[in-house]
Amino acid sequence: MAGAGGGGNDVQWCFSQVKGAIDDDVAEADIISTVEFNHSGELLATGDKGGRVVIFQQETENKSQPQCRSEYNVYSTFQSHEPEFDYLKSLEIEEKINKIRWLPQKNAAQFLLSTNDKTIKLWKISERDKRPEGYNLKEEDGRYRDATTITTLRVPVFRPMDLMVEASPRRVFANAHTYHINSISVNSDNETYLSADDLRINLWHLEITDRSFNIVDIKPANMEELTEVITAAEFHPHQCNTFVYSSSKGTIRLCDMRASALCDKHSKLFEEPEDPSNRSFFSEIISSISDVKFSHNGRYMMTRDYLSVKIWDINMENRPVETYQVHEYLRSKLCSLYENDCIFDKFECCWNGNDSVVMTGSYNNFFRMLDRTQRRDVTLEASRESCKPRQLLKPRRVCAGGKRKKDEISVDSLDFNKKILHTAWHPQENIIAVATTNNLYIFQEKVN
Amino acid sequence: MDVEAKRIMALSISKLYSLRTQRGGLRLHRSLLLSMTMRAARDIYHTAQLLRDAEEEQVVPCAPDAATEEPMEITKDSPQTLTPKEVAMKPQEPIDAVEDDKENRCASERHSRKRHCKTAIEPDFLPLKKAKMDTDEEKQHLPGEVLRTNNGNSYRQAESLTAFPANRAIVAY
């Protein structure tokens, strides 16, 4: 299987798997809140509103049957966060997993960071397939042997056992955030990571849990003067001194930690002037950036606001190099979307392995593939109706107004409760994970 | 336009209220966006109101012309004369609640009521819960710690190594 070459439209996508309950009655705890492949793509982690993490593992490919693409099966499930209560503020702290980030693999075990609104945890996921047998003082079931019956000594030996995957919390990074954590990002130095809330960004060392460095603080002296908050933050993939953070005003700031200990002053400010013809009551809300992601090569970054995806060259601050409309037909519906709160939905976006295609979600369980090299885009749907193995996904079209063509869906028929906020792309292959409310769909490139 | 503005304003206020009872604590980002939208709608609505009031005043001196214009003005105004009262009634309830709720009262709140069309993030008639969160945060910093009280405009002594207070959230394993 070649790498993630070819654009989103050379690639034909087909259904591979779907995970999660089938029934329409969704338990709130099962709502998927984050999806992330690890660095090799072998593992796929999801977090949900109930504070659980489920990790899927790609089965090693069956060489004799190339048609049978490797599948992802449950590898480990654990409760990462529990609901907590902050007694000082009389506030409940939700257990919902906001983000998961994998650490690059250093040894046999896998490590990931998971965070809720207030606390970040480092989890170690390790395999155990052998266990010691033949203790002198204990029976195999754990009962102590009668000392008087022991006449010889033996050395316990390791014998194979059924594979057990254990997840254990190795570090808990707590009490560093007054506001709600929206992002975590592991540095390329593999020693530090950042966590960002609405007003502050902290730098942590993975080994040290009782303190962190505050590197960005945009809290005004008088909270009444607050005009913008931090919405996402990420480290540069190669430059360990560089990170970016996005704001609710649609700006992105690139900061260099070598410039000063406190990075309140940005090195670069990326901002596109607003189109005055598009001004409305809701301009502020729709310009708020919900996600920012560096490209794998580190030269570009992508931002997602409510209606569009923008690609920025980090060497050019005054405007993005590419802008893609995700669902422009919603611009005339902003008032209704404000009423039903959908206008506040935070969509994420992701790059494919070679940075040629980007993907983001929309409503009605639609998701969009935007091909940068061919300047084409396609809308696909994650639906139970297209769930036959290797079934090809058909492009979908939304009719903005006027006469609706045969295969089109009109804007008013879109189901705004079915939203795809979280998507992930395998780092090397054309395999994507798309989260609907409580299901995880895995699609793969069609192989002839 | 101002009907729309009023509707959005009312909608924003009710959303801001419901935010306060939501699980997980006050969402700063959401309340900021709601406040900004509400403020924009309120500004438009007030501007439209002022224009209407100005027009009414101009009608009165020109008596002969008013004979023909007045009926039109009255029919236009009668549905609208209700609305300022409606709007006035809504802020009354929260203001009453605020006056009873002494804990939340603070000097800045009185200032904000005097301001008209100023760049207030919080609507004037809502209790300033944000101020409370602020003071709580200040209280939690133990003496001797580095306290950040500005956003970089003044000389800051300690570099940003900030130790955080002991666990206050109970974590059960």
Side-chain angles (χ1 to χ4, degrees):
Chain A
M1 158 73 221
N9 290 310
D10 286 333
V11 174
Q12 299 261 51
W13 293 95
C14 61
F15 172 83
S16 174
Q17 295 169 274
V18 60
K19 307 284 185 193
I22 300 175
D23 57 74
D24 285 329
D25 199 13
V26 180
E28 189 157 335
D30 293 337
I31 295 173
I32 298 172
S33 50
T34 185
V35 183
E36 187 82 355
F37 279 100
N38 75 337
H39 294 269
S40 65
E42 186 206 353
L43 298 175
L44 175 60
T46 62
D48 64 24
K49 247 188 152 184
R52 290 166 304 204
V53 171
V54 180
I55 302 176
F56 302 93
Q57 183 188 42
Q58 192 179 30
E59 296 301 326
T60 44
E61 260 182 65
N62 194 338
K63 295 263 166 35
S64 62
Q65 281 186 297
Q67 298 283 35
C68 186
R69 300 305 301 280
S70 41
E71 288 199 336
Y72 283 84
N73 297 317
V74 177
Y75 179 64
S76 175
T77 304
F78 56 93
Q79 187 76 33
S80 171
H81 287 71
E82 299 272 5
E84 286 172 37
F85 198 77
D86 182 340
Y87 294 98
L88 265 155
K89 291 184 186 166
S90 291
L91 284 178
E92 200 182 351
I93 300 169
E94 278 190 289
E95 67 275 30
K96 174 169 78 89
I97 308 293
N98 292 335
K99 283 280 162 23
I100 288 173
R101 289 288 181 263
W102 290 92
L103 267 56
Q105 192 173 12
K106 278 197 266 196
N107 51 39
Q110 300 277 356
F111 288 87
L112 62 77
L113 286 169
S114 70
T115 185
N116 69 349
D117 284 338
K118 298 285 182 181
T119 304
I120 307 129
K121 295 187 186 180
L122 177 69
W123 287 90
K124 177 181 179 183
I125 296 109
S126 47
E127 289 184 6
R128 192 193 289 271
D129 62 355
K130 289 187 262 291
R131 66 155 191 251
E133 285 177 21
Y135 285 105
N136 291 293
L137 299 175
K138 284 194 284 188
E139 302 285 2
E140 295 310 325
D141 59 9
R143 279 180 305 141
Y144 281 96
R145 291 170 70 187
D146 182 359
T148 55
T149 64
I150 300 169
T151 53
T152 57
L153 282 176
R154 55 187 177 171
V155 177
V157 289
F158 275 92
R159 296 213 188 280
M161 61 179 254
D162 288 338
L163 179 68
M164 202 165 75
V165 181
E166 301 172 319
S168 60
R170 305 300 289 177
R171 306 269 186 277
V172 177
F173 304 92
N175 300 310
H177 286 281
T178 309
Y179 302 98
H180 296 108
I181 297 174
N182 51 56
S183 315
I184 47 175
S185 177
V186 184
N187 203 347
S188 51
D189 67 7
N190 289 339
E191 287 185 350
T192 57
Y193 75 95
L194 63 77
S195 58
D197 67 25
D198 293 315
L199 297 178
R200 298 193 176 102
I201 301 179
N202 292 331
L203 180 71
W204 300 85
H205 191 285
L206 284 163
E207 301 290 326
I208 299 168
T209 59
D210 63 351
R211 67 189 62 208
S212 65
F213 286 86
N214 175 244
I215 52 175
V216 173
D217 187 338
I218 64 167
K219 183 172 184 232
N222 182 358
M223 280 296 273
E224 285 189 22
E225 289 161 10
L226 181 72
T227 54
E228 70 182 321
V229 298
I230 298 168
T231 52
E234 197 182 45
F235 266 118
H236 190 279
H238 311 132
Q239 297 166 17
C240 58
N241 53 285
T242 305
F243 66 94
V244 291
Y245 68 93
S246 59
S247 84
S248 54
K249 275 194 160 171
T251 61
I252 308 103
R253 286 171 175 79
L254 184 139
C255 301
D256 186 337
M257 296 195 291
R258 298 171 301 186
S260 74
L262 189 68
C263 300
D264 279 2
K265 205 160 164 279
H266 52 262
S267 301
K268 293 192 185 181
L269 174 67
F270 298 85
E271 189 175 14
E272 184 178 31
E274 195 196 341
D275 182 357
S277 64
N278 277 333
R279 189 113 187 91
S280 76
F281 284 120
F282 311 107
S283 299
E284 299 271 9
I285 302 181
I286 63 169
S287 64
S288 178
I289 292 174
S290 51
D291 196 14
V292 65
K293 292 261 169 53
F294 274 106
S295 61
H296 290 94
N297 61 21
R299 200 179 143 197
Y300 299 98
M301 58 184 183
M302 164 167 54
T303 57
R304 175 69 156 99
D305 52 63
Y306 191 64
L307 296 178
S308 67
V309 162
K310 293 180 184 175
I311 311 279
W312 304 76
D313 183 324
I314 61 171
N315 297 311
M316 189 163 80
E317 297 168 62
N318 60 350
R319 59 178 174 81
V321 289
E322 294 153 36
T323 302
Y324 301 93
Q325 301 305 329
V326 180
H327 36 218
E328 183 67 11
Y329 46 78
L330 295 183
R331 193 180 287 274
S332 54
K333 310 279 177 190
L334 293 178
C335 198
S336 324
L337 294 164
Y338 183 70
E339 272 180 80
N340 64 15
D341 279 345
C342 284
I343 205 174
F344 299 106
D345 287 333
K346 293 186 182 161
F347 292 95
E348 291 174 10
C349 51
C350 60
W351 297 83
N352 74 340
N354 67 3
D355 301 331
S356 59
V357 185
V358 297
M359 169 169 64
T360 189
S362 178
Y363 294 104
N364 211 71
N365 282 349
F366 288 171
F367 57 99
R368 302 266 287 139
M369 305 285 236
L370 310 163
D371 189 331
R372 300 179 60 216
T373 46
Q374 299 188 28
R375 304 303 292 231
R376 285 191 295 179
D377 55 86
V378 69
T379 304
L380 300 172
E381 184 180 0
S383 146
R384 287 275 177 182
E385 265 128 60
S386 326
C387 276
K388 294 194 204 57
R390 294 188 296 281
Q391 178 176 1
L392 206 59
L393 291 183
K394 226 176 49 166
R396 309 303 309 251
R397 259 174 273 277
V398 177
C399 163
K403 269 184 166 310
R404 187 177 73 88
K405 294 194 196 110
K406 200 183 87 162
D407 275 333
E408 288 183 351
I409 295 187
S410 75
V411 183
D412 299 313
S413 321
L414 294 174
D415 187 342
F416 289 95
N417 290 319
K418 292 188 179 169
K419 50 192 92 171
I420 291 177
L421 303 174
H422 312 287
T423 57
W425 204 311
H426 190 289
Q428 279 119 35
E429 296 173 29
N430 276 339
I431 302 174
I432 55 176
V434 171
T436 59
T437 308
N438 66 331
N439 288 147
L440 184 72
Y441 286 79
I442 299 174
F443 301 109
Q444 291 183 350
E445 181 177 20
K446 187 160 184 72
V447 181
N448 293 321
Chain B
M1 178 62 162
D2 54 334
V3 174
E4 179 77 352
K6 187 190 156 234
R7 194 170 79 86
I8 291 172
M9 196 170 78
L11 197 55
S12 308
I13 293 165
S14 68
K15 284 182 192 292
L16 274 163
Y17 262 111
S18 65
L19 259 191
R20 285 156 199 268
T21 53
Q22 240 179 40
R23 195 174 167 242
L26 188 75
R27 297 270 157 195
L28 191 64
H29 186 196
R30 177 85 58 116
S31 25
L32 181 68
L33 293 176
L34 285 170
S35 304
M36 282 180 158
T37 309
M38 195 232 63
R39 183 169 48 93
R42 186 187 62 186
D43 290 347
I44 304 244
Y45 181 72
H46 281 158
T47 316
Q49 277 246 278
L50 290 167
L51 283 170
R52 264 204 308 281
D53 294 342
E55 277 174 21
E56 279 182 44
E57 282 174 33
Q58 281 172 12
V59 169
V60 172
C62 315
D65 293 311
T68 46
E69 276 190 49
E70 263 188 68
M72 276 179 64
E73 288 293 345
I74 290 168
T75 50
K76 252 196 275 176
D77 277 337
S78 45
Q80 284 162 353
T81 45
L82 290 171
T83 52
K85 277 188 204 159
E86 263 181 64
V87 176
M89 273 175 68
K90 267 191 202 158
Q92 277 311 316
E93 291 157 357
I95 285 171
D96 289 338
V98 162
E99 301 204 351
D100 291 335
D101 187 1
K102 286 180 185 147
E103 243 193 310
N104 282 328
R105 196 194 302 189
C106 59
S108 52
E109 189 196 335
R110 272 179 239 122
H111 285 305
S112 65
R113 269 197 237 146
K114 286 180 190 164
R115 281 183 279 164
H116 296 291
C117 302
K118 247 201 160 188
T119 53
I121 300 305
E122 280 269 52
D124 0 331
F125 39 78
L126 283 177
L128 287 172
K129 281 278 176 123
K130 256 186 237 163
K132 188 187 175 198
M133 188 205 278
D134 206 23
T135 50
D136 273 354
E137 194 213 7
E138 309 296 11
K139 276 180 213 158
Q140 280 150 14
H141 283 282
L142 304 169
E145 281 185 18
V146 175
L147 184 66
R148 301 280 307 280
T149 54
N150 57 61
N151 58 359
N153 293 328
S154 63
Y155 172 63
R156 192 182 293 108
Q157 268 183 319
E159 287 311 313
S160 39
L161 175 59
T162 312
F164 287 94
N167 287 345
R168 63 171 189 275
I170 310 295
V171 177
Y173 273 106

